[in-house]
Amino acid sequence: MCYWNTTEYRIIPISGYQVLRNCPGCGCRAAYESTGSFRVNANGKRIDVWLIYQCKSCGHTYNLTIYERVKPEDIPGEEYRRFLENDGETALRYGMDKGVFARNRAEIDWGHVAYEIRPMEVRESLESRERPQSRPLLTIHNPWGLKIRTDKAVAEICQVSRSKVRQLVKEGKLELPQDYVGSRIVLELGRTGWTGQMGQDGPDGLSGRKNPENDTACMGRHRKEEDEEKE
């Protein structure tokens, strides 16, 4: 008997957002990437903390402000230690904090966001037991709110080209309810070219993964639209 299996994936960032700004070294607009290092500066009885960015072309640095002119006691001791040790998880957390970029008026380069799409555990819900023969679902979680197009995410999960996904949409064999993944999107696989369980090729050549929990993570970079059209 075929039950209603929910195959789930999660989009995970693997580096902080890049910043677009005018570079004094290059004399033009350039992309800056996080070095993963912090700079802690004591100014009298006040402390500044910056996450250091670097121009990808010439190496010119830019300081993204985390704390500005705060009292030492205003920074939790454990967090302060992580700043001094250039803790990678802390650098990624602040490098993905949109509020920090907004306070710095720093422009995020949405055209180049590095991420992985990792399979989650496939589980059977209680509702599935009451609805045999239901279509399987593909759920994509995007807890960091990365700006990723739905067709790109589906193509990476299914290991097909984006042009193939767009072709199926045009032919009415695949329905994408929204252009971007958003915080979460659910696709009903029975309507999208899959005819059997995940991992079996349908007549349209669009296939899923047999065992997502044992599969390696899908990796991808959110590229500019003009590059994507060349696929």
Side-chain angles (χ1 to χ4, degrees):
M1 183 175 293
C2 177
Y3 291 99
W4 189 18
N5 292 326
T6 302
T7 302
E8 301 190 49
Y9 287 80
R10 178 181 286 124
I11 300 173
I12 304 294
I14 58 177
S15 65
Y17 293 128
Q18 293 185 24
V19 173
L20 293 175
R21 58 182 285 108
N22 292 325
C23 176
C26 297
C28 63
R29 186 175 170 82
Y32 284 67
E33 61 184 356
S34 172
T35 64
S37 297
F38 294 95
R39 180 174 297 164
V40 180
N41 179 61
N43 189 343
K45 295 183 178 179
R46 301 285 178 168
I47 290 179
D48 297 318
V49 179
W50 301 295
L51 178 59
I52 305 173
Y53 275 69
Q54 191 173 53
C55 175
K56 296 175 65 176
S57 297
C58 73
H60 187 274
T61 59
Y62 161 68
N63 295 331
L64 187 75
T65 301
I66 306 300
Y67 287 104
E68 184 175 23
R69 300 294 189 270
V70 300
K71 298 177 181 178
E73 57 268 25
D74 290 339
I75 302 178
E78 178 63 20
E79 185 176 33
Y80 186 75
R81 181 188 65 79
R82 292 180 179 180
F83 289 147
L84 296 178
E85 295 178 355
N86 294 319
D87 179 70
E89 291 186 4
T90 304
L92 178 59
R93 176 163 57 88
Y94 280 107
M96 297 297 301
D97 189 331
K98 297 175 185 175
V100 171
F101 289 86
R103 290 195 298 272
N104 283 268
R105 297 184 180 179
E107 181 182 353
I108 295 174
D109 182 5
W110 290 113
H112 296 84
V113 177
Y115 61 87
E116 293 178 348
I117 302 182
R118 299 177 183 175
M120 299 170 62
E121 180 182 359
V122 179
R123 62 178 181 271
E124 180 181 285
S125 67
L126 292 176
E127 186 177 0
S128 70
R129 299 172 186 174
E130 301 173 359
R131 298 179 59 180
Q133 303 299 331
S134 296
R135 297 184 178 94
L137 301 177
L138 172 63
T139 304
I140 305 174
H141 299 269
N142 185 21
W144 290 87
L146 301 185
K147 192 175 181 181
I148 300 175
R149 297 191 66 89
T150 304
D151 62 341
K152 180 174 176 61
V154 171
E156 290 179 7
I157 289 172
C158 301
Q159 298 183 337
V160 298
S161 66
R162 290 187 67 189
S163 60
K164 178 63 179 180
V165 175
R166 288 193 288 263
Q167 176 188 343
L168 294 175
V169 172
K170 185 176 181 180
E171 294 174 353
K173 298 175 181 178
L174 171 62
E175 181 180 353
L176 303 181
Q178 57 204 51
D179 292 338
Y180 288 89
V181 175
S183 61
R184 176 175 174 270
I185 191 171
V186 179
L187 301 174
E188 196 167 339
L189 304 187
R191 294 177 180 173
T192 62
W194 279 279
T195 57
Q197 295 294 324
M198 291 295 291
Q200 299 177 347
D201 289 338
D204 304 300
L206 188 59
S207 66
R209 297 175 181 273
K210 283 186 179 180
N211 197 359
E213 64 268 33
N214 293 329
D215 205 351
T216 56
C218 304
M219 293 187 63
R221 288 186 177 273
H222 192 41
R223 294 166 294 176
K224 292 185 180 296
E225 290 300 319
E226 56 265 25
D227 294 332
E228 293 169 351
E229 293 300 327
K230 295 179 182 178
E231 295 181 1

